[in-house]
């Protein structure tokens, strides 16, 4: 199983993780709006990564 498949299955099997990742993704995108074009994209990725890294502390 590849790392991407492992992450996808963990998100599906962890209640609320997908919601938290979406919420932090939106917050990251909003915070990074001042950076033209790529700011919201990287902000969203950073927010989702942050939520994923905190998945065991739920």
């Amino acid at each position: 199983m590849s790392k991407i498949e492992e992450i996808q299955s963990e998100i599906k099997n962890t209640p609320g993780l997908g919601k938290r990742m979406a919420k932090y993704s939106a917050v990251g995108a909003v915070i990074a709006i001042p950076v033209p074009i790529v700011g919201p994209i990287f902000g969203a990725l950073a927010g989702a990564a942050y939520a994923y890294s905190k998945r065991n502390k739920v």
Side-chain angles (χ1 to χ4, degrees):
M1 182 181 275
S2 73
K3 186 66 175 172
I4 293 174
E5 290 171 342
E6 288 177 32
I7 292 171
Q8 287 176 339
S9 67
E10 185 169 350
I11 291 169
K12 288 177 185 174
N13 295 329
T14 307
L17 180 58
K19 268 187 187 178
R20 288 189 61 200
M21 288 178 73
K23 180 174 69 173
Y24 280 99
S25 218
V27 170
V30 168
I31 290 171
I33 282 176
V35 181
I37 301 170
V38 296
I41 295 168
F42 287 118
L45 289 173
Y50 176 78
Y52 185 76
S53 71
K54 301 294 181 184
R55 69 191 173 278
N56 294 333
K57 296 177 176 78
V58 173

